[in-house]
Structure formats: structure tokens, C-alpha cells
Amino acid sequence: AGKPVGLVCISPALAAKIYGPGVIATLGSAEDPAAAALSAMGGSHEECTVEDIIEDKAHKLVSTPAYMLAQSIAEAAAGINKLVDRVLELAHPH
């Protein structure tokens, strides 16, 4: 439907099943087995720090690793807050 979506923590592992091959998402570290699973399903994994986001502009998809990397709720919140802000920007362009 072209609506923006935010995927957090382990959920980006399903991005290729949702959007199809070529989708870009993050689970944090490329060393994580879930990143390999995303790639095996045709997705493209990009490494990302816990406080940041990865955006697939073509699919209006924003993802962040959250507890795939976070050691505390504050660390997870940094990336999640950034993700929510970006999804809202995509939903309500100025």
C-alpha cells in the first residue's frame, strides 16, 4: 500500500518475506545468524549501531537493531525513538 513501516529488533529478519527480494534492513551486526537468514531470503542486510536506523527509501521501510545489540533500555530507546520519528515523517511529509 506504500505506507511507511518500522521494524524493530528481530522483526527485520522477516523483511524479505514481507517486501520481497532486494529489500534493505538491519539486525545490527552482520555476524548475527538472523542477518544471514535475511540475506538467504533475498534481503540486503546493512550493519547498524544500536542508536541508529537504516532506511530503505524504495519500500518506505525503517529498521533498527534495538535489543539485537542493546545492553540497556536507554540504548534500545535511542534507535527506537529515531525510527518512530522517521516513520512519522514519512507518514506526514511536509
Side-chain angles (χ1 to χ4, degrees):
K3 297 182 189 300
V5 171
L7 297 178
V8 176
C9 201
I10 191 67
S11 66
L14 297 174
K17 290 291 187 186
I18 298 167
Y19 293 95
V23 68
I24 301 165
T26 191
L27 290 137
S29 171
E31 304 299 317
D32 193 294
L38 170 63
S39 297
M41 289 186 280
S44 178
H45 179 266
E46 287 193 18
E47 285 198 286
C48 181
T49 60
V50 68
E51 70 275 354
D52 215 350
I53 59 173
I54 295 294
E55 181 177 346
D56 180 332
K57 293 184 188 307
H59 294 99
K60 292 187 181 175
L61 172 64
V62 186
S63 56
T64 190
Y67 278 106
M68 296 301 288
L69 297 178
Q71 300 296 309
S72 70
I73 194 166
E75 284 184 4
I80 293 168
N81 289 337
K82 194 178 283 187
L83 176 139
V84 170
D85 289 345
R86 183 62 186 139
V87 169
L88 289 173
E89 288 172 2
L90 291 169
H92 303 287
H94 297 111

